Amino acid sequence: MDASTWIWVLVAVAAALLLVWMYNTLVARRNNVENAFAGIDTQLKKRCDLVPNLVATVKGYAGHERAVLERLTELRTAAAADGLGREEAADIRGSMSPLFREAMAQVEAYPELKASAPFTRLQRQLAEIEEQLSAARRAYNAAVTEYNNGVQMVPLCLFAAVFGFKRRTWFLAEESDRATPATDFGAPGI
Amino acid sequence: MAEVFPQLDDPTLAADFTAALATLSAGRRRSWLWLAGVVAGVGIAIVAIAALDGHWAAWLGSAVAIIVPLSMTVHVRSVAAMGVRNLLLERVVPAIARHISPGLEFCAEEGFSLEQFVSIGPDRGRIDEFCSDCLFTGTIDGVRVSFARVLARRREQRRGVRGQTRTVWVTLFSGVLFHGDFQKEFHHPLWVQPDFAERHFGQLLGNFFQKCASYGSLRMMRMENPDFEKQFVVYAEDALETRYVLSPKMMENLMAVGARFDRQAEFSFRDSAVWVVLPDDVVPRWLDLDAAMNPEGPAHLLQDVETVARLSRDLDLHVRLWSKE
């Protein structure tokens, strides 16, 4: 082979390596987004699993808030139904947020329950999960930002469309999440 | 002095400290007399050596005439200072610790171990000399804390221009370490350091250098708070847990602490605890007892201890909303 052929071969190899690198980068970033989404789902499931605990703790006091507890239980059952997609299940679990807040806020009317050890423990667990959920959503948004930067910025954007990489949307707080104040944690032990 | 002692729980401390300072002052005056003796000894020596034409007896006498008053000068000064030093170590600083928090104790001879220092990270390489003292340990607002002075050095052989080798001690770290029990359980370490690279080389180059920096399994993570990102760089293992530890409020707290310490404080989160690394530059002459042997000394010591102790509140370590007890 003469020199010019060698040069063409080298250029072709370099271009192939560049393509592989770009493809792998996009795949890695997409996987990070999937992984971060799974992190949110895990926390939502953990919070969902607190429902029986919440019902057991407040059932003796349940008055007009019984409807909230029943709705929470229904949603938990719905999220665990067979044949449900991961995103659908996450949506259902995510929709439980305002109900959780409502249930915790209604306990304010029962000082005896609010001061009880099981309820305080439950409140702390819930606070911890909410904090982890918030962290998972922030991690998801960071992963989506990195992925979207790749999909929209040169040079990765040149191949993103060819390989079928599409923009993802950030997690945005629901209107109800913005409007409702957080549970009052002025509980003993703080 | 008048402002500090009424706050402390030792009623006789003010009088004892005043008396110790008076003794120190008298000792220093006496040492001046001995120093005058040294000058006289030098004069006697010159005369005697000249008169006896360098006889050995003249040299011997001269040596005695100089060494004895010189030793006495040093002895008198050190004995006088020892009294105040002991009072500061045994009563003043412990009383300051109790004043800051009844659960806080002071151990002058104790400190952190080399293993603890190494565990904080990052890897500072070989350490040939390590010492740590002036340990404060106990609870502040129910939070387990400890802080102490630390010095870590490495011995290196350097070659001069003529090829000769000499030993030099390189200071790896000198300053104060603070350790506090964190509110949340976490399993992966993360390290927050001042963003020197971006500050000195600009965002593009600085960011590149930061990404290149490797600290074992830790990799650089960008946080969503732009002000925090300007001030710090975060190295961590787990993206989710990093955000769990560095909540928006915690990032604000770290920025406030960073601003208080001239953007030089480093933070290491590991084993569900937080370490704050404060180099000498931001806590100069911390708990320097020699500098505290004056009427204002105890006030300065109180300020030194408070500067570090308030980290517990600055970082909201007492806020226990989560399941960790």
Side-chain angles (χ1 to χ4, degrees):
Chain A
M1 282 197 289
D2 59 5
S4 64
T5 314
W6 274 112
I7 290 170
W8 280 114
V9 169
L10 282 175
V11 168
V13 169
L17 285 175
L18 191 66
L19 265 177
V20 169
W21 172 78
M22 286 195 287
Y23 182 77
N24 284 352
T25 302
L26 285 169
V27 170
R29 289 183 184 185
R30 188 176 60 191
N31 287 347
N32 276 346
V33 173
E34 299 294 331
N35 189 32
F37 182 80
I40 297 179
D41 198 29
T42 306
Q43 299 307 325
L44 285 172
K45 191 165 183 320
K46 268 168 80 178
R47 189 179 66 177
C48 199
D49 290 343
L50 281 185
V51 170
N53 203 349
L54 177 65
V55 172
T57 307
V58 303
K59 69 180 174 190
Y61 298 84
H64 60 283
E65 62 275 17
R66 187 184 295 276
V68 177
L69 296 177
E70 280 171 2
R71 182 77 187 125
L72 275 172
T73 309
E74 279 169 21
L75 285 174
R76 180 172 181 264
T77 311
D82 290 337
L84 211 59
R86 196 182 65 167
E87 294 199 1
E88 285 170 300
D91 278 347
I92 294 173
R93 290 185 188 119
S95 68
M96 294 164 84
S97 296
L99 292 171
F100 264 105
R101 276 196 294 277
E102 202 180 330
M104 299 305 273
Q106 284 175 353
V107 171
E108 296 291 315
Y110 306 100
E112 196 186 328
L113 170 62
K114 203 180 151 194
S116 71
F119 182 75
T120 307
R121 194 164 49 245
L122 180 72
Q123 198 178 34
R124 283 170 179 268
Q125 282 174 339
L126 192 58
E128 192 161 87
I129 291 172
E130 290 291 350
E131 189 89 351
Q132 284 169 342
L133 193 52
S134 158
R137 284 166 175 163
R138 286 163 56 213
Y140 174 78
N141 281 351
V144 168
T145 302
E146 201 181 4
Y147 171 80
N148 283 351
N149 284 346
V151 169
Q152 292 177 293
M153 287 164 81
V154 177
L156 295 176
C157 71
L158 302 174
F159 298 92
V162 178
F163 293 132
F165 291 95
K166 291 191 178 117
R167 260 188 93 231
R168 294 290 185 98
T169 49
W170 285 279
F171 173 84
L172 297 172
E174 300 279 334
E175 204 53 51
S176 61
D177 289 341
R178 293 200 193 100
T180 315
T183 310
D184 175 17
F185 287 119
I190 292 170
Chain B
M1 184 174 71
E3 301 92 49
V4 175
F5 286 118
Q7 303 172 42
L8 307 181
D9 63 357
D10 192 336
T12 59
L13 198 51
D16 292 347
F17 187 68
T18 308
L21 282 185
T23 309
L24 174 67
S25 184
R28 281 176 176 164
R29 276 197 302 276
R30 251 196 334 275
S31 77
W32 283 112
L33 289 175
W34 282 106
L35 200 61
V38 175
V39 176
V42 171
I44 291 167
I46 293 168
V47 171
I49 291 167
L52 294 175
D53 201 16
H55 190 270
W56 66 267
W59 283 104
L60 184 67
S62 302
V64 171
I66 295 169
I67 290 169
V68 168
L70 192 63
S71 315
M72 286 306 292
T73 306
V74 174
H75 175 71
V76 166
R77 287 186 83 91
S78 63
V79 165
M82 190 66 76
V84 183
R85 189 181 173 79
N86 286 345
L87 188 76
L88 288 171
L89 278 178
E90 290 163 14
R91 289 178 58 194
V92 176
V93 182
I96 286 173
R98 288 194 300 275
H99 164 66
I100 285 172
S101 170
L104 196 63
E105 287 179 6
F106 172 68
C107 317
E109 304 296 322
E110 289 180 35
F112 292 117
S113 68
L114 175 60
E115 289 71 29
Q116 283 176 307
F117 178 70
V118 170
S119 75
I120 297 168
D123 184 12
R124 294 173 199 265
R126 193 185 79 245
I127 297 171
D128 294 316
E129 186 193 39
F130 177 83
C131 57
S132 178
D133 61 1
C134 292
L135 176 74
F136 290 81
T137 184
T139 56
I140 297 176
D141 300 329
V143 181
R144 284 187 302 279
V145 299
S146 44
F147 49 97
R149 211 160 45 184
V150 165
L151 173 69
R153 300 199 297 173
R154 176 166 55 230
R155 191 174 48 227
E156 285 183 0
Q157 297 288 333
R158 298 241 171 108
R159 196 171 286 277
V161 284
R162 292 177 191 160
Q164 78 280 19
T165 55
R166 61 195 171 91
T167 303
V168 291
W169 284 95
V170 179
T171 301
L172 301 170
F173 175 75
S174 176
V176 177
L177 287 188
F178 172 91
H179 174 262
D181 183 37
F182 200 63
Q183 312 102 312
K184 304 171 187 171
E185 296 274 5
F186 58 92
H187 308 288
H188 299 93
L190 72 112
W191 186 47
V192 181
Q193 75 163 146
D195 197 341
F196 289 118
E198 277 195 32
R199 218 182 298 162
H200 290 102
F201 302 109
Q203 194 179 5
L204 198 68
L205 260 183
N207 204 353
F208 174 74
F209 289 137
Q210 286 165 350
K211 275 189 176 162
C212 292
S214 165
Y215 298 104
S217 56
L218 307 186
R219 63 189 170 88
M220 195 191 97
M221 295 220 179
R222 291 199 79 84
M223 306 305 289
E224 59 275 25
N225 184 332
D227 292 330
F228 180 83
E229 270 299 313
K230 271 187 204 159
Q231 196 171 329
F232 295 108
V233 56
V234 178
Y235 292 94
E237 276 183 2
D238 186 274
L240 201 157
E241 205 173 63
T242 302
R243 286 168 177 86
Y244 177 54
V245 172
L246 297 181
S247 62
K249 177 76 174 107
M250 181 53 71
M251 283 195 277
E252 296 286 339
N253 292 342
L254 295 187
M255 282 194 287
V257 172
R260 187 154 75 84
F261 291 107
D262 198 23
R263 294 180 161 204
Q264 291 191 55
E266 294 174 15
F267 306 88
S268 175
F269 296 83
R270 53 187 63 233
D271 304 324
S272 302
V274 56
W275 289 86
V276 184
V277 182
L278 302 170
D280 271 341
D281 294 347
V282 292
V283 279
R285 307 192 74 176
W286 191 78
L287 222 63
D288 185 344
L289 297 184
D290 293 330
M293 292 184 190
N294 57 63
E296 284 76 38
H300 290 302
L301 292 177
L302 173 63
Q303 199 179 5
D304 281 351
V305 181
E306 270 181 340
T307 299
V308 180
R310 64 175 263 219
L311 282 169
S312 172
R313 284 161 205 166
D314 287 349
L315 298 177
D316 285 339
L317 298 182
H318 60 291
V319 177
R320 300 275 158 168
L321 298 174
W322 301 273
S323 57
K324 184 181 177 190
E325 294 295 330

